[in-house]
Amino acid sequence: MNPTYNFQNQVALVTGAASGMGLATAWAFAEAGAAVVLADIDMDAVETAAAELASAGHSAIGLTCDVTDEGQTAAMVEHAVATFGRLDMAFNNAGVQAPPTDAADETAENFDRVNAVNLRGVWASMKHELRQMRQQGSGAIVNCSSLGGLVGLPERAAYHASKHGVIGLTKSVAVEYAPKGVRVNAVCPGTIDTPMVADMLKTQAGAIAEILKEQPIGRLGRAEEVAAAVLWLCSPAASLVVGVALPVDGGFTAH
């Protein structure tokens, strides 16, 4: 049973919130009492997700945001603050996968696309979240890395580079902003049952099977399990936790 948190009168922002881990985390924040800003590049999906939260009695809005565009991430935070008055928590979750590719054959376009979303997108989102939290003197940010930020796997160079970068970014900002009252951490999900992984299962079933062999818990993770880790990192229960890259991977990186 997951612990319960009281996030009443607090505001949470989630990117990549229309599905998977982002949507599960948005629901978890809302059920803990927070007002939630859901942001995603898919306008229809994020508006539907926000409407479902609102119809369940929660305070939520959906925003369209391409995190590779810093102007849009700035507008996302501005809209959140204009609507709810503050920003207390953020889960920078928007990300994309990349097809397995021999490192010698990787295209610059593919490398740039993956890093634009997974690394630059986290940087741009966090930059503008920090400006608001710095002004408040408080806040908690969780960035989404991956088990790919902690290990290396064949044919995954571009993706793993982006996710390693998220951890370096997280640690540097964490030590800079802890004295200012803002805690910054990262989660490193393993193979989680999300739409992204479902797509991989269709085209890369063999690769997923190999990864699961190394996941001691013997199953795919659930989006709600990642959400639970994010909420803990944002809560007072993690008040001394700063700059960690927390594996949520069923033991994959314990090898």
Side-chain angles (χ1 to χ4, degrees):
M1 181 178 293
N2 288 329
T4 58
Y5 303 106
N6 182 1
F7 291 143
Q8 292 286 340
N9 302 315
Q10 295 189 54
V11 180
L13 167 65
V14 181
T15 68
S19 64
M21 296 181 296
L23 181 57
T25 303
W27 271 95
F29 275 132
E31 289 171 348
V36 185
V37 179
L38 296 84
D40 200 280
I41 197 170
D42 187 330
M43 179 179 68
D44 292 340
V46 77
E47 289 181 352
T48 298
E52 289 174 353
L53 276 164
S55 68
H58 302 298
S59 183
I61 60 170
L63 302 177
T64 306
C65 182
D66 177 352
V67 297
T68 67
D69 181 336
E70 189 186 348
Q72 292 190 39
T73 62
M76 170 184 72
V77 174
E78 289 170 5
H79 194 144
V81 175
T83 302
F84 294 118
R86 58 185 298 109
L87 179 62
D88 300 285
M89 302 168 288
F91 179 37
N92 295 317
N93 165 72
V96 294
Q97 257 291 355
T101 307
D102 186 303
D105 299 322
E106 191 86 63
T107 65
E109 291 78 12
N110 187 59
F111 184 88
D112 290 345
R113 180 186 70 87
V114 171
N115 279 274
V117 179
N118 293 358
L119 181 53
R120 180 186 165 91
V122 169
W123 166 81
S125 300
M126 183 166 56
K127 172 180 176 179
H128 294 280
E129 294 154 3
L130 287 168
R131 289 183 173 184
Q132 175 63 27
M133 292 177 179
R134 178 178 62 187
Q135 180 179 321
Q136 295 171 184
S138 64
I141 295 173
V142 178
N143 296 322
C144 194
S145 179
S146 165
L147 69 82
L150 299 169
V151 302
L153 291 172
E155 300 186 329
R156 304 280 176 182
Y159 179 78
H160 284 225
S162 70
K163 293 301 188 177
H164 274 71
V166 168
I167 293 176
L169 182 65
T170 297
K171 289 184 175 181
S172 280
V173 175
V175 297
E176 180 179 355
Y177 268 79
K180 301 174 184 179
V182 181
R183 292 188 304 104
V184 183
N185 292 288
V187 286
C188 299
T191 309
I192 309 298
D193 188 6
T194 64
M196 183 185 292
V197 169
D199 289 341
M200 290 177 67
L201 282 168
K202 293 175 185 175
T203 59
Q204 305 169 40
I208 293 294
E210 288 301 312
I211 290 172
L212 285 176
K213 286 180 184 178
E214 301 299 323
Q215 196 152 304
I217 205 166
R219 63 171 174 82
L220 292 173
R222 298 187 299 272
E224 293 77 11
E225 292 173 306
V226 177
V230 174
L231 262 65
W232 176 72
L233 286 169
C234 288
S235 77
S239 57
L240 197 63
V241 181
V242 173
V244 304
L246 178 66
V248 188
D249 65 354
F252 186 99
T253 54
H255 285 288

